[in-house]
Structures are given as C-alpha cells and as structure tokens.
Amino acid sequence: MIRVGLGHDTHRLGPGNGLVLGGVTIPHQQMALGHSDADVLLHAITDALLGAAGLGDIGELFPDTDPANKGRDSAEMLRAALERVTDAGWQIVNLDCVIFAQRPKILPHRTAIRNRIAELLAIDVARVWIKAKTGEMVGPIGEEQAIAAECVVLIERE
Ligand code: CDP
Ligand code: ZN
C-alpha cells in the first residue's frame, strides 16, 4: 500500500541573523519568526508525513498555545512525527520539497539541507530532494515579508 502526503508552512520574516531551513542555518540578514524555531521546511515535511499516514498534523501534536512548545526544536517535532508514522508500519519512499524565498539563494545550501533531512529521517539522501523559487519580487514572499515551504512525501507499507 502506498500513500501520498502534502505539507505547507509559512512564517513571517523579521530582522535577524540567519534562516533555519531543514535544520541548517543559512546566513541571512533576516530570520523567520514563530512560536517554535520557525523552520518552515521541517514543519512542511512533518505535516506531509503525518498527512500521508493519516495521523494528524503538527499543530495538533504540538499546539502553539502550549508554553512547552515555545522555541521547540523543529527536528524534535519531526522525529516525534516520524516515530508515529514508522510505528504504524510505514516507510518513506521519497520526498520532494519547494522553499519559497526571494532571498537568499538556496541552491548553494541544497546538499547540506538534503543531507540533514536524510539524517533526521534516517533515509538515504537519494530519497530527498529540495528546490527553491523566488516570489518574483511580488506578494509577501517576493517582498521578503514571509518565507514558505511545501513538501510532498510518498510512504509505503507491506
Ligand atoms: O526562473 P523562475 O522564475 O522559474 O524561478 P525563480 O524563482 O526566478 O528561481 C530560479 C532558480 O533560482 C530556481 O530554480 C532555483 O534554482 C534558484 N533559487 C534559489 O536557489 N534560491 C531561491 N531562494 C530562489 C530560487
Ligand atoms: Zn512553521
């Protein structure tokens, strides 16, 4: 049996000293703002996995109304979601992600981000792909007010 899942996340940008994307800090004069560490990519991947397995969503597992989730490490949330998914007998076939950011250029950091995601998910890096698109300088992405990410994941079970 196979299942597909889709995840999406958006965070506001503000002055700062780096973007955390897929658990990797990318030098930038802005940072993503949010209740947790605001890693849009890991949040999108977490939701894609949970959705594929039909096991809830990130806000359900880690409500932003709970002070315990303030500043929570997104890698930790991803691991918790992965555990639920694998406990249900699922294995990841592959995932493909898009980061929506006007700046900075993500391409130079792609290998580092893919490696980190593969490590977090305990899968071969060949199963992980990421890419980025600008907002063509229009809208909240293009005007650098926000960053977003999407992920699609395929999972399988005997
Ligand atoms: O060319 P097109 O309008 O389709 O896309 P774009 O948003 O201008 O992005 C062109 C290319 O730049 C992408 O395909 C990525 O390879 C790269 N890119 C990036 O590395 N980092 C970003 N934040 C945005 C785009
Ligand atoms: Zn988020």
Side-chain angles (χ1 to χ4, degrees), residues 99 101-108 132-136:
I99 297 164
Q102 186 62 41
R103 290 188 307 147
K105 278 287 178 206
I106 303 300
L107 206 49
K133 297 299 276 190
T134 68
E136 294 288 336

Side-chain angles (χ1 to χ4, degrees), residues 45 49 78 82 92 95 116-123 128:
I45 294 170
L49 274 173
L78 177 59
L82 178 69
I92 296 170
L95 58 149
R116 180 62 183 144
I117 292 168
E119 183 181 45
L120 288 170
L121 297 174
I123 57 177
V128 180

